């Protein structure tokens, strides 16, 4: 069953199905289950294994010393968790990884996976592409937070998601306090760029 799930991932595209089956059967693997609200990894934990989300949905967040949190991404199975840090010189999780529903995670020995990539060049290329795509995503995220105003970030969020149903959750995602988000929303409403229907915020059709 796990072979079928993994074969749908871009990471294993072009991989020999029999070799993938052997990897799952022979490698030091473990399958872990996490309930909603449990942490799969904590920011700063050493990342010594390949973590593959087989089932479920997770949220990744950065947290500073004062407890302020910033949502970085939402990841849906099947996908690999923190691929850019598995073989890093400082291989620690850069974020908290929290299950937002019942999740299953396949944990695989990184040394065995490295051997597998050498034997399956297509997987090596896919892994490099995955790391490159994540780096691109993070660079865009950094640009968004470093160079754009809160109102611009909020408009981008609305363009991507169509609206806001939970302001507290969006405040987490944008890395701001709820009152700051409310002020930015009020300004956008005054400018006619968004409308509010009940508690739901909707991007104005003209935009």
């Amino acid at each position: 069953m796990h072979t079928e799930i993994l074969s749908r991932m871009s990471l294993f595209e072009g991989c020999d199905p029999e070799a993938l089956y052997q990897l799952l059967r022979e490698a030091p693997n473990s399958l872990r289950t996490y309930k909603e609200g449990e942490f799969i990894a904590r920011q700063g934990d050493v990342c010594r294994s390949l973590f593959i989300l087989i089932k479920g949905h997770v949220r990744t967040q950065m947290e500073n010393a004062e407890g302020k949190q910033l949502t970085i991404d939402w990841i849906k199975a099947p996908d690999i968790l923190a691929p850019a840090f598995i073989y890093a010189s400082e291989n620690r999780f850069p974020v908290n990884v929290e299950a937002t529903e019942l999740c299953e995670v396949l944990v695989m020995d990184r040394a065995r996976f490295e051997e597998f990539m050498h034997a399956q060049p297509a997987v090596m290329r896919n892994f490099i592409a995955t790391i490159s795509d994540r780096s691109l995503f993070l660079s865009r995220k950094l640009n968004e937070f470093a160079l754009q105003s809160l109102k611009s970030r909020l408009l981008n969020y609305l363009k991507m998601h169509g609206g806001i149903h939970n302001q507290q959750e969006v405040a987490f995602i944008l890395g701001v306090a709820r009152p700051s988000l409310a002020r930015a929303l009020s300004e956008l409403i005054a400018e006619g760029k968004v409308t509010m229907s009940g508690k739901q915020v909707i991007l104005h059709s003209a935009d």
Side-chain angles (χ1 to χ4, degrees), residues 11-125:
L11 176 64
F12 295 103
E13 186 176 346
C15 173
D16 176 25
E18 180 61 27
L20 181 56
Y21 173 76
Q22 290 293 332
L23 175 69
L24 291 176
R25 190 176 68 175
E26 297 175 359
N29 304 321
S30 63
L31 186 65
R32 302 177 186 176
T33 301
Y34 299 87
K35 298 177 183 177
E36 179 181 353
E38 289 186 332
F39 286 93
I40 295 169
R42 292 276 192 174
Q43 183 175 323
D45 286 353
V46 176
C47 183
R48 294 193 178 95
S49 304
L50 183 75
F51 283 67
I52 300 178
L53 183 64
I54 296 293
K55 175 184 177 182
H57 196 277
V58 304
R59 172 174 58 192
T60 63
Q61 289 186 318
M62 282 187 172
E63 184 175 353
N64 66 12
E66 289 73 41
K68 183 180 178 181
Q69 295 177 326
L70 171 64
T71 298
I72 302 299
D73 200 10
W74 301 81
I75 301 174
K76 183 178 181 180
D79 207 345
I80 185 171
L81 303 177
F85 298 89
I86 297 167
Y87 300 107
S89 57
E90 187 175 341
N91 54 326
R92 295 179 181 274
F93 279 93
V95 293
N96 293 323
V97 183
E98 180 186 0
T100 58
E101 61 184 22
L102 183 66
C103 291
E104 290 183 2
V105 177
L106 178 67
V107 182
M108 183 179 299
D109 179 72
R110 66 176 181 175
R112 178 65 182 92
F113 181 67
E114 184 177 353
E115 293 174 3
F116 179 76
M117 287 193 292
H118 283 293
Q120 297 288 325
V123 178
M124 176 77 79
R125 290 191 295 271

Side-chain angles (χ1 to χ4, degrees), residues 102-160:
L102 183 66
C103 291
E104 290 183 2
V105 177
L106 178 67
V107 182
M108 183 179 299
D109 179 72
R110 66 176 181 175
R112 178 65 182 92
F113 181 67
E114 184 177 353
E115 293 174 3
F116 179 76
M117 287 193 292
H118 283 293
Q120 297 288 325
V123 178
M124 176 77 79
R125 290 191 295 271
N126 296 339
F127 185 73
I128 293 171
T130 297
I131 293 174
S132 299
D133 287 342
R134 292 291 174 89
S135 298
L136 179 61
F137 167 80
L138 291 174
S139 68
R140 288 173 174 170
K141 198 83 172 178
L142 178 61
N143 173 71
E144 176 183 322
F145 281 90
L147 302 179
Q148 295 185 22
S149 67
L150 175 55
K151 287 197 294 184
S152 295
R153 285 151 50 197
L154 185 51
L155 284 173
N156 286 338
Y157 178 91
L158 287 166
K159 288 174 183 176
M160 183 178 298

Side-chain angles (χ1 to χ4, degrees), residues 149-155 158 164 167 170-171 174 176-196 201:
S149 67
L150 175 55
K151 287 197 294 184
S152 295
R153 285 151 50 197
L154 185 51
L155 284 173
L158 287 166
I164 294 175
Q167 291 190 29
V170 175
L174 298 181
V176 298
R178 172 88 178 264
S180 298
L181 179 70
R183 284 194 297 272
L185 279 174
S186 296
E187 292 177 12
L188 290 174
I189 292 171
E191 294 167 8
K193 295 180 179 178
V194 301
T195 57
M196 183 169 288
V201 179

